[in-house]
Amino acid sequence: MRTKDVRVGETYRCGVPFALPWRRYRPETMGDSWWPLSWLRGTYFPLAVVDVDTAAR
């Protein structure tokens, strides 16, 4: 899915793969978000979109 396809008010099913590329997802570069992502490896979770920053696309 592309960012242009994301709609405000929709809920999407997001999957976190078992193996995350170490060079891109190192704990020192991701900060506090690394720890929860490590718990979610290999799972799916619902993600509700409440706002989209169109300039960030």
Side-chain angles (χ1 to χ4, degrees):
M1 174 177 277
R2 304 274 185 201
T3 56
K4 66 181 181 175
D5 300 328
V6 175
R7 302 283 180 242
V8 174
E10 294 290 328
T11 301
Y12 299 94
R13 184 178 186 216
C14 299
V16 180
F18 278 108
L20 298 173
W22 179 254
R23 291 180 185 208
R24 184 172 180 188
Y25 298 103
R26 290 190 316 265
E28 53 277 0
T29 59
M30 292 195 56
D32 294 335
S33 63
W34 178 83
W35 187 245
L37 278 178
S38 68
W39 288 356
L40 292 172
R41 282 188 288 187
T43 63
Y44 293 92
F45 62 93
L47 176 71
V49 178
V50 296
D51 191 18
V52 176
D53 183 7
T54 55
R57 292 184 180 180

